[in-house]
Amino acid sequence: MNMKKVYIETMGCQMNKSDTERMLGILSNFDYDEVDNPKEADLLMVNTCSIRQLSEDKAFSLLGAWGKRKKDNPNLKIGICGCVAQQKAEKIFKRAPYVDFVLGTHNIYKLPEIIKAVNNGDKVCECTETHQTADTRGFGIKRAKTVNAWINITEGCNNFCTYCIVPYTRGRERSRLPEVIIREAKAALAEGHKEITLLGQNVDSYGKDLKNYRLAQLLRDLNALDGNFRIRFVTSYPTDITDELIQTVVDLDKVCEYFHIPMQSGSSDVLKKMNRRYTREMYGEIVKKVRNMVPDVTITSDFIAGFPGETEEQFQETLSAIDEFELDYCNVAAYSPREKTVAAKWVDKFVPDNVKDERFQRLNKKVQENCLKSNLKYLNRNMEVLVESFYEHKGKFINTGKTRNNKTVHIACDKDLTGQFVNVKISNAKTWYLNGVIE
Ligand code: SF4
């Protein structure tokens, strides 16, 4: 059979990467093979992110470059999916007339019909919002050949933080059914993946829309599956972390000692304006509880610099929070206004770009300092590493992987240990990684 070729460029978060794996799985049922080189493709798709303007601009510039190629190859089909597609819908055809289809985040399982219509010469826009999860048609998933498999367990978000576009692009929160998740986990383990990461915008609110089945129970059911593998879950909303969930992490041998708990700002006043439902003190209590209950836990976070109206004093509260709560690592971003969100309308409160950039730099510096401090705690400790990749660097062979508590470890060894659990002694601590020696 003459297979067609598809190339998907994926931008943004892990949720998009997971959607791309799903779309590749669907397309493989309809005679499309994935290619790594867009020049070889009959179908080009960009899976977009709308968290920042920069990412959106990058998607349109890519579409522009692809559009030019239609002159030489009129049969080439171009599609845009993901959050920008969901948000802009038909408007995209005006801005990028060479696009054949726009597919929002709620309807990726309509891809077969869309491709059929597009191959018949139609233009299609499918961006209607649904209240269901994307499980209905039972297509497989074409996972990247990595050690870790990502499984999304919730879709959408109900929180409406004032800076965030997600509730508008991904809709209201829906939990996927436990049996579907467990089936996907079993399939991923059978394919040889050694780590399952459960994914959700608010992973710890999983099951609020199900009957008596929450994240802790899902972890217990996954932990009971056969095999030597690890389980992680991201991202946790601070006030949805229950005592039961923390205790489950302590009790279950396959669930790793790692929590990603975005704080976003260290100032209670800014948190209120962000519509986050906790104060600095409440966040501190939750982190303290997790640290006390889970030995060697790594806690990471997210912060925004220069939220509208943020004063220098309030920004300093963010810096001091990273120290006070001993956050091991933080993703940081300068505030970027997103159309439709509440904070984007507070134009008169926008922090000037130069101030925002300067705060962003200081925030980065603080994160670096704390990351090194956190890594130094593990010097001379014995740790188990799951090796994720093997490469050559300056004539030396390195295996790189993660500890249970999500620390990156480099192991000098000329044998490829990818996919193996290795016990090492930590011999050196750098800002972003540890060095380990096989015991
Ligand atoms: S919790 Fe807030 S920041 Fe996170 S996805 Fe929902 S609205 Fe966005």
PDB file of all heavy atoms in Angstrom, residues 51 156-168 173 200-202 235 237 262 264 274-277 304, ligand 1:
ATOM      1  N   ILE A  51      -0.096  30.073  25.153  1.00  0.00           N
ATOM      2  CA  ILE A  51       0.258  30.616  26.472  1.00  0.00           C
ATOM      3  C   ILE A  51       1.003  31.940  26.318  1.00  0.00           C
ATOM      4  O   ILE A  51       0.811  32.871  27.098  1.00  0.00           O
ATOM      5  CB  ILE A  51       1.123  29.591  27.256  1.00  0.00           C
ATOM      6  CG1 ILE A  51       0.257  28.431  27.719  1.00  0.00           C
ATOM      7  CG2 ILE A  51       1.852  30.210  28.434  1.00  0.00           C
ATOM      8  CD1 ILE A  51      -0.606  28.651  28.938  1.00  0.00           C
ATOM      9  N   GLY A 156      -8.931  20.164  30.253  1.00  0.00           N
ATOM     10  CA  GLY A 156      -9.570  21.433  30.596  1.00  0.00           C
ATOM     11  C   GLY A 156      -9.297  21.882  32.027  1.00  0.00           C
ATOM     12  O   GLY A 156      -8.563  21.232  32.776  1.00  0.00           O
ATOM     13  N   CYS A 157      -9.898  23.006  32.389  1.00  0.00           N
ATOM     14  CA  CYS A 157      -9.674  23.585  33.720  1.00  0.00           C
ATOM     15  C   CYS A 157     -10.838  24.493  34.091  1.00  0.00           C
ATOM     16  O   CYS A 157     -11.387  25.186  33.239  1.00  0.00           O
ATOM     17  CB  CYS A 157      -8.372  24.392  33.704  1.00  0.00           C
ATOM     18  SG  CYS A 157      -8.024  25.125  35.301  1.00  0.00           S
ATOM     19  N   ASN A 158     -11.209  24.470  35.371  1.00  0.00           N
ATOM     20  CA  ASN A 158     -12.328  25.309  35.835  1.00  0.00           C
ATOM     21  C   ASN A 158     -11.864  26.525  36.620  1.00  0.00           C
ATOM     22  O   ASN A 158     -12.687  27.244  37.168  1.00  0.00           O
ATOM     23  CB  ASN A 158     -13.228  24.487  36.784  1.00  0.00           C
ATOM     24  CG  ASN A 158     -13.945  23.377  36.059  1.00  0.00           C
ATOM     25  OD1 ASN A 158     -14.043  23.401  34.839  1.00  0.00           O
ATOM     26  ND2 ASN A 158     -14.443  22.407  36.798  1.00  0.00           N
ATOM     27  N   ASN A 159     -10.565  26.724  36.747  1.00  0.00           N
ATOM     28  CA  ASN A 159     -10.097  27.699  37.730  1.00  0.00           C
ATOM     29  C   ASN A 159     -10.093  29.156  37.284  1.00  0.00           C
ATOM     30  O   ASN A 159     -10.136  30.058  38.115  1.00  0.00           O
ATOM     31  CB  ASN A 159      -8.700  27.315  38.219  1.00  0.00           C
ATOM     32  CG  ASN A 159      -8.766  26.162  39.191  1.00  0.00           C
ATOM     33  OD1 ASN A 159      -9.795  25.958  39.834  1.00  0.00           O
ATOM     34  ND2 ASN A 159      -7.704  25.404  39.295  1.00  0.00           N
ATOM     35  N   PHE A 160     -10.002  29.403  36.014  1.00  0.00           N
ATOM     36  CA  PHE A 160     -10.019  30.775  35.487  1.00  0.00           C
ATOM     37  C   PHE A 160      -9.061  31.717  36.222  1.00  0.00           C
ATOM     38  O   PHE A 160      -9.465  32.770  36.700  1.00  0.00           O
ATOM     39  CB  PHE A 160     -11.448  31.348  35.501  1.00  0.00           C
ATOM     40  CG  PHE A 160     -12.321  30.726  34.444  1.00  0.00           C
ATOM     41  CD1 PHE A 160     -13.098  29.614  34.734  1.00  0.00           C
ATOM     42  CD2 PHE A 160     -12.334  31.227  33.155  1.00  0.00           C
ATOM     43  CE1 PHE A 160     -13.877  29.012  33.761  1.00  0.00           C
ATOM     44  CE2 PHE A 160     -13.117  30.631  32.169  1.00  0.00           C
ATOM     45  CZ  PHE A 160     -13.894  29.525  32.471  1.00  0.00           C
ATOM     46  N   CYS A 161      -7.817  31.334  36.349  1.00  0.00           N
ATOM     47  CA  CYS A 161      -6.805  32.277  36.827  1.00  0.00           C
ATOM     48  C   CYS A 161      -6.815  33.436  35.827  1.00  0.00           C
ATOM     49  O   CYS A 161      -6.968  33.207  34.616  1.00  0.00           O
ATOM     50  CB  CYS A 161      -5.431  31.606  36.869  1.00  0.00           C
ATOM     51  SG  CYS A 161      -5.447  30.161  37.952  1.00  0.00           S
ATOM     52  N   THR A 162      -6.660  34.658  36.320  1.00  0.00           N
ATOM     53  CA  THR A 162      -6.977  35.811  35.459  1.00  0.00           C
ATOM     54  C   THR A 162      -5.981  36.011  34.307  1.00  0.00           C
ATOM     55  O   THR A 162      -6.244  36.785  33.403  1.00  0.00           O
ATOM     56  CB  THR A 162      -7.062  37.111  36.290  1.00  0.00           C
ATOM     57  OG1 THR A 162      -5.840  37.239  37.041  1.00  0.00           O
ATOM     58  CG2 THR A 162      -8.246  37.095  37.228  1.00  0.00           C
ATOM     59  N   TYR A 163      -4.836  35.345  34.363  1.00  0.00           N
ATOM     60  CA  TYR A 163      -3.831  35.503  33.305  1.00  0.00           C
ATOM     61  C   TYR A 163      -3.881  34.378  32.282  1.00  0.00           C
ATOM     62  O   TYR A 163      -3.178  34.403  31.282  1.00  0.00           O
ATOM     63  CB  TYR A 163      -2.403  35.514  33.925  1.00  0.00           C
ATOM     64  CG  TYR A 163      -2.160  34.321  34.807  1.00  0.00           C
ATOM     65  CD1 TYR A 163      -1.762  33.106  34.276  1.00  0.00           C
ATOM     66  CD2 TYR A 163      -2.387  34.395  36.183  1.00  0.00           C
ATOM     67  CE1 TYR A 163      -1.586  31.997  35.078  1.00  0.00           C
ATOM     68  CE2 TYR A 163      -2.228  33.287  36.993  1.00  0.00           C
ATOM     69  CZ  TYR A 163      -1.825  32.101  36.438  1.00  0.00           C
ATOM     70  OH  TYR A 163      -1.679  30.990  37.228  1.00  0.00           O
ATOM     71  N   CYS A 164      -4.692  33.345  32.527  1.00  0.00           N
ATOM     72  CA  CYS A 164      -4.504  32.076  31.810  1.00  0.00           C
ATOM     73  C   CYS A 164      -5.563  31.822  30.740  1.00  0.00           C
ATOM     74  O   CYS A 164      -6.763  31.981  30.967  1.00  0.00           O
ATOM     75  CB  CYS A 164      -4.487  30.923  32.820  1.00  0.00           C
ATOM     76  SG  CYS A 164      -4.187  29.336  32.019  1.00  0.00           S
ATOM     77  N   ILE A 165      -5.095  31.367  29.616  1.00  0.00           N
ATOM     78  CA  ILE A 165      -5.955  31.134  28.454  1.00  0.00           C
ATOM     79  C   ILE A 165      -6.552  29.719  28.444  1.00  0.00           C
ATOM     80  O   ILE A 165      -7.509  29.450  27.724  1.00  0.00           O
ATOM     81  CB  ILE A 165      -5.106  31.407  27.170  1.00  0.00           C
ATOM     82  CG1 ILE A 165      -5.958  31.473  25.895  1.00  0.00           C
ATOM     83  CG2 ILE A 165      -3.991  30.406  26.993  1.00  0.00           C
ATOM     84  CD1 ILE A 165      -6.669  32.759  25.746  1.00  0.00           C
ATOM     85  N   VAL A 166      -6.008  28.828  29.278  1.00  0.00           N
ATOM     86  CA  VAL A 166      -6.372  27.406  29.191  1.00  0.00           C
ATOM     87  C   VAL A 166      -7.885  27.128  29.292  1.00  0.00           C
ATOM     88  O   VAL A 166      -8.430  26.373  28.476  1.00  0.00           O
ATOM     89  CB  VAL A 166      -5.570  26.572  30.223  1.00  0.00           C
ATOM     90  CG1 VAL A 166      -6.147  25.174  30.393  1.00  0.00           C
ATOM     91  CG2 VAL A 166      -4.123  26.463  29.771  1.00  0.00           C
ATOM     92  N   PRO A 167      -8.613  27.736  30.257  1.00  0.00           N
ATOM     93  CA  PRO A 167     -10.052  27.430  30.314  1.00  0.00           C
ATOM     94  C   PRO A 167     -10.786  27.817  29.023  1.00  0.00           C
ATOM     95  O   PRO A 167     -11.838  27.252  28.718  1.00  0.00           O
ATOM     96  CB  PRO A 167     -10.547  28.275  31.498  1.00  0.00           C
ATOM     97  CG  PRO A 167      -9.333  28.478  32.332  1.00  0.00           C
ATOM     98  CD  PRO A 167      -8.193  28.604  31.361  1.00  0.00           C
ATOM     99  N   TYR A 168     -10.223  28.770  28.269  1.00  0.00           N
ATOM    100  CA  TYR A 168     -10.867  29.189  27.018  1.00  0.00           C
ATOM    101  C   TYR A 168     -10.473  28.277  25.853  1.00  0.00           C
ATOM    102  O   TYR A 168     -11.217  28.133  24.897  1.00  0.00           O
ATOM    103  CB  TYR A 168     -10.486  30.639  26.676  1.00  0.00           C
ATOM    104  CG  TYR A 168     -10.785  31.593  27.805  1.00  0.00           C
ATOM    105  CD1 TYR A 168      -9.811  31.928  28.746  1.00  0.00           C
ATOM    106  CD2 TYR A 168     -12.058  32.137  27.952  1.00  0.00           C
ATOM    107  CE1 TYR A 168     -10.080  32.782  29.798  1.00  0.00           C
ATOM    108  CE2 TYR A 168     -12.350  32.993  29.003  1.00  0.00           C
ATOM    109  CZ  TYR A 168     -11.352  33.306  29.923  1.00  0.00           C
ATOM    110  OH  TYR A 168     -11.640  34.143  30.970  1.00  0.00           O
ATOM    111  N   GLU A 173     -13.169  21.410  33.009  1.00  0.00           N
ATOM    112  CA  GLU A 173     -12.431  20.213  33.404  1.00  0.00           C
ATOM    113  C   GLU A 173     -13.267  18.924  33.257  1.00  0.00           C
ATOM    114  O   GLU A 173     -14.423  18.878  33.686  1.00  0.00           O
ATOM    115  CB  GLU A 173     -12.029  20.386  34.864  1.00  0.00           C
ATOM    116  CG  GLU A 173     -11.095  19.332  35.356  1.00  0.00           C
ATOM    117  CD  GLU A 173     -10.614  19.699  36.743  1.00  0.00           C
ATOM    118  OE1 GLU A 173      -9.735  20.568  36.855  1.00  0.00           O
ATOM    119  OE2 GLU A 173     -11.145  19.130  37.701  1.00  0.00           O
ATOM    120  N   GLY A 200      -2.346  16.485  33.835  1.00  0.00           N
ATOM    121  CA  GLY A 200      -3.594  17.250  33.886  1.00  0.00           C
ATOM    122  C   GLY A 200      -3.274  18.676  34.270  1.00  0.00           C
ATOM    123  O   GLY A 200      -2.295  18.916  34.977  1.00  0.00           O
ATOM    124  N   GLN A 201      -4.083  19.623  33.799  1.00  0.00           N
ATOM    125  CA  GLN A 201      -3.865  21.021  34.195  1.00  0.00           C
ATOM    126  C   GLN A 201      -3.949  21.129  35.718  1.00  0.00           C
ATOM    127  O   GLN A 201      -3.196  21.867  36.328  1.00  0.00           O
ATOM    128  CB  GLN A 201      -4.914  21.919  33.538  1.00  0.00           C
ATOM    129  CG  GLN A 201      -4.348  22.776  32.429  1.00  0.00           C
ATOM    130  CD  GLN A 201      -4.361  22.054  31.090  1.00  0.00           C
ATOM    131  OE1 GLN A 201      -5.218  21.206  30.856  1.00  0.00           O
ATOM    132  NE2 GLN A 201      -3.437  22.381  30.232  1.00  0.00           N
ATOM    133  N   ASN A 202      -4.885  20.398  36.310  1.00  0.00           N
ATOM    134  CA  ASN A 202      -4.974  20.264  37.772  1.00  0.00           C
ATOM    135  C   ASN A 202      -5.119  18.787  38.056  1.00  0.00           C
ATOM    136  O   ASN A 202      -6.218  18.296  38.280  1.00  0.00           O
ATOM    137  CB  ASN A 202      -6.212  20.960  38.325  1.00  0.00           C
ATOM    138  CG  ASN A 202      -6.085  22.426  38.185  1.00  0.00           C
ATOM    139  OD1 ASN A 202      -5.093  23.004  38.608  1.00  0.00           O
ATOM    140  ND2 ASN A 202      -7.066  23.020  37.582  1.00  0.00           N
ATOM    141  N   THR A 235       0.108  18.498  36.797  1.00  0.00           N
ATOM    142  CA  THR A 235       0.551  19.541  37.705  1.00  0.00           C
ATOM    143  C   THR A 235      -0.452  19.656  38.846  1.00  0.00           C
ATOM    144  O   THR A 235      -1.661  19.576  38.590  1.00  0.00           O
ATOM    145  CB  THR A 235       0.594  20.874  36.943  1.00  0.00           C
ATOM    146  OG1 THR A 235       1.609  20.822  35.955  1.00  0.00           O
ATOM    147  CG2 THR A 235       0.837  22.064  37.817  1.00  0.00           C
ATOM    148  N   TYR A 237      -2.639  21.558  41.708  1.00  0.00           N
ATOM    149  CA  TYR A 237      -3.118  22.854  42.193  1.00  0.00           C
ATOM    150  C   TYR A 237      -3.003  22.814  43.720  1.00  0.00           C
ATOM    151  O   TYR A 237      -3.500  21.862  44.353  1.00  0.00           O
ATOM    152  CB  TYR A 237      -4.575  23.093  41.772  1.00  0.00           C
ATOM    153  CG  TYR A 237      -5.016  24.508  42.020  1.00  0.00           C
ATOM    154  CD1 TYR A 237      -4.819  25.484  41.048  1.00  0.00           C
ATOM    155  CD2 TYR A 237      -5.596  24.883  43.227  1.00  0.00           C
ATOM    156  CE1 TYR A 237      -5.200  26.796  41.283  1.00  0.00           C
ATOM    157  CE2 TYR A 237      -5.977  26.193  43.467  1.00  0.00           C
ATOM    158  CZ  TYR A 237      -5.783  27.148  42.488  1.00  0.00           C
ATOM    159  OH  TYR A 237      -6.145  28.452  42.715  1.00  0.00           O
ATOM    160  N   PRO A 262       2.608  24.773  41.320  1.00  0.00           N
ATOM    161  CA  PRO A 262       2.787  26.180  40.935  1.00  0.00           C
ATOM    162  C   PRO A 262       2.282  27.137  42.004  1.00  0.00           C
ATOM    163  O   PRO A 262       1.176  26.978  42.510  1.00  0.00           O
ATOM    164  CB  PRO A 262       1.954  26.314  39.657  1.00  0.00           C
ATOM    165  CG  PRO A 262       1.847  24.932  39.131  1.00  0.00           C
ATOM    166  CD  PRO A 262       1.808  24.036  40.341  1.00  0.00           C
ATOM    167  N   GLN A 264       3.025  30.755  41.528  1.00  0.00           N
ATOM    168  CA  GLN A 264       2.796  31.889  40.612  1.00  0.00           C
ATOM    169  C   GLN A 264       3.221  33.237  41.169  1.00  0.00           C
ATOM    170  O   GLN A 264       3.771  34.056  40.464  1.00  0.00           O
ATOM    171  CB  GLN A 264       1.336  31.977  40.109  1.00  0.00           C
ATOM    172  CG  GLN A 264       0.811  30.692  39.468  1.00  0.00           C
ATOM    173  CD  GLN A 264       1.555  30.251  38.220  1.00  0.00           C
ATOM    174  OE1 GLN A 264       2.564  30.833  37.862  1.00  0.00           O
ATOM    175  NE2 GLN A 264       1.096  29.196  37.575  1.00  0.00           N
ATOM    176  N   MET A 274      -4.694  37.352  40.803  1.00  0.00           N
ATOM    177  CA  MET A 274      -4.560  36.264  39.821  1.00  0.00           C
ATOM    178  C   MET A 274      -5.734  35.285  39.908  1.00  0.00           C
ATOM    179  O   MET A 274      -5.812  34.340  39.127  1.00  0.00           O
ATOM    180  CB  MET A 274      -3.263  35.479  40.098  1.00  0.00           C
ATOM    181  CG  MET A 274      -1.995  36.212  39.726  1.00  0.00           C
ATOM    182  SD  MET A 274      -0.566  35.185  40.212  1.00  0.00           S
ATOM    183  CE  MET A 274       0.728  35.952  39.247  1.00  0.00           C
ATOM    184  N   ASN A 275      -6.607  35.471  40.928  1.00  0.00           N
ATOM    185  CA  ASN A 275      -7.701  34.527  41.200  1.00  0.00           C
ATOM    186  C   ASN A 275      -7.172  33.142  41.566  1.00  0.00           C
ATOM    187  O   ASN A 275      -7.790  32.124  41.228  1.00  0.00           O
ATOM    188  CB  ASN A 275      -8.679  34.441  40.013  1.00  0.00           C
ATOM    189  CG  ASN A 275      -9.981  33.776  40.407  1.00  0.00           C
ATOM    190  OD1 ASN A 275     -10.410  33.873  41.558  1.00  0.00           O
ATOM    191  ND2 ASN A 275     -10.603  33.073  39.471  1.00  0.00           N
ATOM    192  N   ARG A 276      -6.017  33.098  42.222  1.00  0.00           N
ATOM    193  CA  ARG A 276      -5.548  31.825  42.788  1.00  0.00           C
ATOM    194  C   ARG A 276      -6.231  31.708  44.150  1.00  0.00           C
ATOM    195  O   ARG A 276      -6.378  32.694  44.871  1.00  0.00           O
ATOM    196  CB  ARG A 276      -4.018  31.820  42.946  1.00  0.00           C
ATOM    197  CG  ARG A 276      -3.248  32.087  41.662  1.00  0.00           C
ATOM    198  CD  ARG A 276      -3.260  30.940  40.706  1.00  0.00           C
ATOM    199  NE  ARG A 276      -2.425  29.837  41.134  1.00  0.00           N
ATOM    200  CZ  ARG A 276      -2.269  28.714  40.409  1.00  0.00           C
ATOM    201  NH1 ARG A 276      -2.889  28.561  39.246  1.00  0.00           N
ATOM    202  NH2 ARG A 276      -1.506  27.732  40.852  1.00  0.00           N
ATOM    203  N   ARG A 277      -6.656  30.526  44.541  1.00  0.00           N
ATOM    204  CA  ARG A 277      -7.516  30.429  45.722  1.00  0.00           C
ATOM    205  C   ARG A 277      -6.728  30.086  46.984  1.00  0.00           C
ATOM    206  O   ARG A 277      -7.130  29.230  47.764  1.00  0.00           O
ATOM    207  CB  ARG A 277      -8.610  29.387  45.471  1.00  0.00           C
ATOM    208  CG  ARG A 277      -9.481  29.725  44.271  1.00  0.00           C
ATOM    209  CD  ARG A 277     -10.629  28.748  44.150  1.00  0.00           C
ATOM    210  NE  ARG A 277     -10.195  27.364  44.272  1.00  0.00           N
ATOM    211  CZ  ARG A 277      -9.818  26.597  43.258  1.00  0.00           C
ATOM    212  NH1 ARG A 277      -9.821  27.095  42.035  1.00  0.00           N
ATOM    213  NH2 ARG A 277      -9.452  25.350  43.457  1.00  0.00           N
ATOM    214  N   ILE A 304       5.330  33.818  37.846  1.00  0.00           N
ATOM    215  CA  ILE A 304       5.200  34.833  36.796  1.00  0.00           C
ATOM    216  C   ILE A 304       5.822  36.124  37.322  1.00  0.00           C
ATOM    217  O   ILE A 304       5.498  36.562  38.431  1.00  0.00           O
ATOM    218  CB  ILE A 304       3.712  35.082  36.458  1.00  0.00           C
ATOM    219  CG1 ILE A 304       3.086  33.807  35.883  1.00  0.00           C
ATOM    220  CG2 ILE A 304       3.565  36.257  35.485  1.00  0.00           C
ATOM    221  CD1 ILE A 304       1.579  33.880  35.720  1.00  0.00           C
TER     222      ILE A 304
HETATM  223  S1  SF4 B   1      -5.209  26.435  37.223  1.00  0.00           S
HETATM  224 FE1  SF4 B   1      -5.090  28.501  36.458  1.00  0.00          FE
HETATM  225  S2  SF4 B   1      -3.069  28.564  35.441  1.00  0.00           S
HETATM  226 FE2  SF4 B   1      -3.594  26.401  35.667  1.00  0.00          FE
HETATM  227  S3  SF4 B   1      -4.621  25.848  33.736  1.00  0.00           S
HETATM  228 FE3  SF4 B   1      -6.240  26.411  35.190  1.00  0.00          FE
HETATM  229  S4  SF4 B   1      -6.612  28.591  34.782  1.00  0.00           S
HETATM  230 FE4  SF4 B   1      -4.619  28.076  33.858  1.00  0.00          FE
END
